[in-house]
Amino acid sequence: GYPIYADLFLKHGAVTQLPSTLNNPCLQSPPNLCTEFTVYSGTMSLPSINSGYLLAHQRCCRNNTVNNVPNSGIWGNTFTTTIPSNDACNSSPRFNDHPPVVMCQNDQLNFDHSAADQDGDSLYYRLCNAFHGGSQQAPTPYPLVPPPYTTIPYTAGLNAANPIPSSPPISIDPQTGLLTGQPTVQGQYLFTVCVE
């Protein structure tokens, strides 16, 4: 099992609405889009331990309108990051920008999804699985469900490495974090980027 060291009840900062602007001035984004962003923060001193720490946040549920996830309204989220064993003040990478809220069908996507690491560590990017968390009955589970986490399933023909119908396929450069591709089917899609 995974022992729980502490429950963190963090306050969030200002909530901002992410813009749904398009890179094509001839097109308009769909009406009534609302994607919000905030940062939860706090400070806690943790003893150095051999196993390291796993930080997790869980919340359910997703919109019923996600095209690449079957029964998307029953699936929640688990967001995680790790603190390595016996870590001595190593910083975590932070993404430099928010991913696009809207991508244009049949338009080339070129988005810099890179992150910065104040320690100068080398970073590796990949499209990865999203994790489920919470349920319709317990949207904010307490205690959290421990790992291993359930991965979110994709509809037939799609997966974490190929999450959106596109030609060329949506991909991320493992060294630079450049997200590229050309979506070919209109819809609402889940994709997850991991940085290590």
Side-chain angles (χ1 to χ4, degrees):
Y2 293 87
I4 295 175
Y5 178 78
D7 293 316
L8 303 176
F9 296 95
L10 304 175
K11 294 186 178 185
H12 63 76
V15 177
T16 58
Q17 186 170 341
L18 298 180
S20 55
T21 54
L22 297 171
N23 60 357
N24 186 332
C26 299
L27 300 173
Q28 292 182 338
S29 65
N32 303 320
L33 283 181
C34 181
T35 303
E36 294 180 330
F37 173 81
T38 191
V39 173
Y40 290 83
S41 62
T43 302
M44 180 178 199
S45 294
L46 299 169
S48 182
I49 58 174
N50 289 336
S51 61
Y53 294 93
L54 173 74
L55 304 176
H57 171 76
Q58 295 178 332
R59 175 80 175 143
C60 194
C61 292
R62 296 177 187 276
N63 295 339
N64 285 317
T65 54
V66 179
N67 295 73
N68 60 343
V69 175
N71 301 313
S72 59
I74 67 169
W75 297 99
N77 302 284
T78 294
F79 301 105
T80 68
T81 192
T82 57
I83 300 173
S85 63
N86 299 314
D87 190 46
C89 298
N90 188 16
S91 299
S92 294
R94 295 185 128 195
F95 286 109
N96 295 316
D97 203 355
H98 303 290
V101 173
V102 178
M103 295 182 274
C104 293
Q105 181 180 353
N106 298 320
D107 268 9
Q108 182 65 34
L109 169 68
N110 285 294
F111 175 72
D112 181 357
H113 210 320
S114 64
D117 184 278
Q118 69 183 29
D119 303 315
D121 294 338
S122 62
L123 301 177
Y124 175 81
Y125 305 90
R126 63 187 172 89
L127 292 171
C128 54
N129 284 304
F131 295 127
H132 172 60
S135 67
Q136 291 174 323
Q137 295 73 34
T140 53
Y142 184 82
L144 296 183
V145 175
Y149 299 118
T150 301
T151 57
I152 305 256
Y154 286 85
T155 55
L158 299 175
N159 55 51
N162 181 33
I164 300 171
S166 55
S167 180
I170 298 291
S171 64
I172 192 163
D173 185 290
Q175 273 72 45
T176 67
L178 183 64
L179 188 68
T180 59
Q182 188 168 323
T184 57
V185 179
Q186 184 176 340
Q188 184 178 11
Y189 297 97
L190 164 71
F191 73 96
T192 305
V193 173
C194 290
V195 57
E196 299 167 338

